[in-house]
Amino acid sequence: MSVKVRFAPSPTGKLHVGNVRTALVNWLFAKGQGGQFVLRIDDTDLARSTPEFEQGIEDDLTWLGMLWDERHNQSKRFDRYEAAADLLKASGRLYPAYETGEELDRRRKVQLARGLPPIYDRAALALTDAEKAAYEAEGRKPHWRFKLDHGRVAWEDLARGHCEVDTASMSDPVLIREDGLFLYTLPSVVDDMDMAITHVIRGEDHVTNTGAQIEIFEALAKCGWEGATPGFAHMPLLVGSDGAALSKRLGSLSISDMRDQGYEPIAITSHLGRIGTSDPLEVGTSVEALGESFAFAKMGRSPARYDTADLDRLNAQALHVMSYETAQPRLAALGVDLGEAFWTVVRANLQKFADVVEMAAIVQGPVMPVIEDAAFAEAALALLPQVIDETAWATWTAAIKEQTGAKGKALFMPLRLMLTGQPHGPDMAAMAPLIGRDRIVARLKGDGAA
Ligand code: GLU
């Protein structure tokens, strides 16, 4: 069986690390075994969905390297949802209810006061045709509830193992609102059947929902709707580095913000694809390679810890191994393509790609030299080799050491400060030939323009 999964985001906001992790695990699971990934825009809520958010979703997935094989908009498939709803109505599984939100609230309060679970009492099932007609005459429109089987629904979850949900403890879910809006529950099932989705992979906050949806899959199949019930995987939720649920903070962790902050896509996909699994939290070579090593068996049951410090570390790792060929167009775009030797030296010092601009300034100047000891600067200048090649630094520093007696930090720090104006930075032996003799001389003389 060839695997086919879907990612079904609502275009009502920006993608954040939480929903991208869901998308990514779907993508890795499918692509790791040559399967298909469907992007399904869950835009049945026409009032809250926007084309800008939809475009943002596509841009983010593309940037992360998670391309899709098929793409659908639920807003273009209302005829399918109507057809499914008609079948369910005809079979008695979808029934009209007329209670207002206030009435339902009041009933819930009474139930709670009596120590009963606040489950919908199915009063609407007992309505006679005359009573329904009276409501309609009053101007009330029905919402439509799915009549659950009130039994145990069981499935073998790829991430959680054996799962059971007792639908007797649930209210019959509303599938269609009084204004005619299809809530996500039914369209999702119809699409999963129509698109031959083999696995539904999502967060564990959907477990109860899955119980109801499996009953809907089965009810539709019984009515003759083509398609099968997919398998399921419910992933543990993301928590922050403090162990607290991330759900409330997710809004501030959007992928577009992370792109603006200079994170590498592979750092984000490595982080989100590997947290909460037994794989080491190291950067992958590509999102495809992450897919090859992905397995639900590696996923633990405890929450996955999202930590910006880990992301920063992976981001630096990604840069430290980035080839010149990959970096070159980006260097050129920043106006700092100083050649392969430059890239190979400085990449080890980068936290974010844009740090390279600072490194280029060390080479090209101007640098404000920090000279703490004029005599030392003069001695160093006198001993500077004529040719600054790869071996010049070793020869030069050995000569300075011999003449001044300075060694270790006392030798190297003043040289770094004079040549770069900073106490930290890339390997000086490799930087010296890039800086070149003229600039070194000028900086040793304290020339702030060199
Ligand atoms: N749009 C739904 C959500 O984002 C999709 C859930 C699902 O994967 O079935 O929660």
Side-chain angles (χ1 to χ4, degrees):
M1 178 187 67
S2 165
V3 165
K4 191 173 183 188
V5 300
R6 86 297 196 278
F7 173 50
S10 304
T12 54
K14 290 180 175 186
L15 287 188
H16 52 62
V17 295
N19 40 36
V20 163
R21 173 165 170 265
T22 303
L24 181 65
V25 170
N26 273 283
W27 197 94
L28 298 177
F29 175 71
K31 293 295 156 182
Q33 40 199 319
Q36 287 178 291
F37 176 77
V38 175
L39 172 60
R40 193 164 78 203
I41 304 291
D42 180 350
D43 56 356
T44 52
D45 188 345
L46 300 171
R48 292 177 59 230
S49 301
T50 75
E52 290 75 23
F53 285 133
E54 188 172 331
Q55 185 62 49
I57 290 167
E58 293 194 12
D59 292 347
D60 289 347
L61 292 180
T62 305
W63 179 68
L64 290 168
M66 294 155 58
L67 298 184
W68 48 93
D69 303 287
E70 264 177 47
R71 185 197 175 293
H72 301 275
N73 280 76
Q74 292 194 318
S75 59
K76 302 226 165 72
R77 296 177 42 80
F78 284 121
D79 54 339
R80 294 299 287 163
Y81 312 146
E82 298 285 0
D86 287 347
L87 281 181
L88 293 176
K89 286 177 190 172
S91 69
R93 292 302 292 275
L94 195 56
Y95 63 92
Y98 293 86
E99 293 91 347
T100 63
E102 275 162 35
E103 283 164 356
L104 291 170
D105 264 354
R106 221 176 306 130
R107 273 192 224 166
R108 268 195 292 270
K109 279 188 194 130
V110 172
Q111 285 170 316
L112 287 170
R114 290 187 188 148
L116 298 169
I119 295 171
Y120 178 60
D121 60 9
R122 293 184 161 173
L125 276 179
L127 292 176
T128 63
D129 286 345
E131 285 167 324
K132 289 182 202 167
Y135 277 132
E136 306 258 351
E138 247 177 59
R140 289 206 201 192
K141 292 230 162 5
H143 52 275
W144 295 83
R145 288 186 186 263
F146 177 75
K147 188 165 172 268
L148 291 166
D149 267 336
H150 280 185
R152 298 192 83 77
V153 177
W155 70 93
E156 296 309 314
D157 195 284
L158 281 176
R160 296 167 67 87
H162 185 76
C163 283
E164 278 192 25
V165 167
D166 185 357
T167 63
S169 64
M170 295 161 63
S171 295
D172 287 339
V174 175
L175 301 190
I176 309 173
R177 276 192 342 200
E178 46 282 346
D179 61 1
L181 182 101
F182 280 92
L183 293 170
Y184 128 89
T185 315
L186 179 63
S188 174
V189 169
V190 169
D191 288 350
D192 289 340
M193 291 178 93
D194 284 0
M195 295 167 195
I197 297 301
T198 58
H199 298 83
V200 169
I201 304 168
R202 54 191 180 187
E204 66 185 8
D205 50 330
H206 279 287
V207 167
T208 314
N209 196 9
T210 292
Q213 283 188 318
I214 288 179
E215 286 197 2
I216 301 176
F217 278 108
E218 289 170 357
L220 278 174
K222 244 187 237 160
C223 297
W225 197 271
E226 295 242 355
T229 307
F232 289 89
H234 294 88
M235 302 181 280
L237 296 183
L238 283 185
V239 295
S241 53
D242 54 1
L246 263 190
S247 45
K248 296 238 158 51
R249 285 173 277 164
L250 283 171
S252 62
L253 292 167
S254 78
I255 297 302
S256 60
D257 286 351
M258 291 166 83
R259 180 165 57 225
D260 292 346
Q261 288 157 12
Y263 284 104
E264 300 297 313
I266 190 64
I268 298 174
T269 49
S270 299
H271 190 210
L272 293 177
R274 287 182 165 168
I275 39 175
T277 76
S278 56
D279 275 335
L281 203 47
E282 303 294 339
V283 78
T285 48
S286 66
V287 68
E288 288 77 15
L290 292 173
E292 280 156 28
S293 66
F294 176 85
F296 275 111
K298 295 180 182 174
M299 195 175 273
R301 291 289 295 269
S302 42
R305 199 170 282 258
Y306 178 84
D307 191 340
T308 311
D310 285 325
L311 178 63
D312 286 338
R313 181 174 59 80
L314 294 179
N315 199 71
Q317 255 187 23
L319 296 170
H320 299 175
V321 298
M322 187 181 284
S323 70
Y324 175 63
E325 198 189 356
T326 306
Q328 195 279 332
R330 293 170 66 184
L331 293 170
L334 290 171
V336 292
D337 178 12
L338 305 186
E340 184 162 3
F342 166 72
W343 173 250
T344 312
V345 182
V346 301
R347 65 181 182 178
N349 286 76
L350 305 178
Q351 300 297 309
K352 298 276 174 65
F353 193 91
D355 297 346
V356 75
V357 172
E358 247 174 75
M359 309 284 164
I362 295 174
V363 172
Q364 295 176 306
V367 155
M368 187 47 79
V370 177
I371 299 181
E372 285 169 340
D373 178 344
F376 183 83
E378 232 169 88
L381 180 57
L383 294 166
L384 187 66
Q386 285 309 312
V387 179
I388 310 294
D389 56 15
E390 294 70 45
T391 61
W393 183 259
T395 321
W396 187 35
T397 53
I400 303 171
K401 179 177 171 185
E402 195 176 309
Q403 183 165 325
T404 65
K407 57 183 180 190
K409 202 176 168 202
L411 169 63
F412 292 103
M413 187 54 84
L415 290 174
R416 180 180 285 285
L417 285 169
M418 289 189 290
L419 297 187
T420 73
Q422 295 165 28
H424 312 284
D427 175 32
M428 288 307 296
M431 286 298 270
L434 296 167
I435 297 171
R437 195 170 195 282
D438 291 350
R439 287 199 200 93
I440 294 177
V441 169
R443 290 175 195 177
L444 291 171
K445 289 181 178 167
D447 179 352

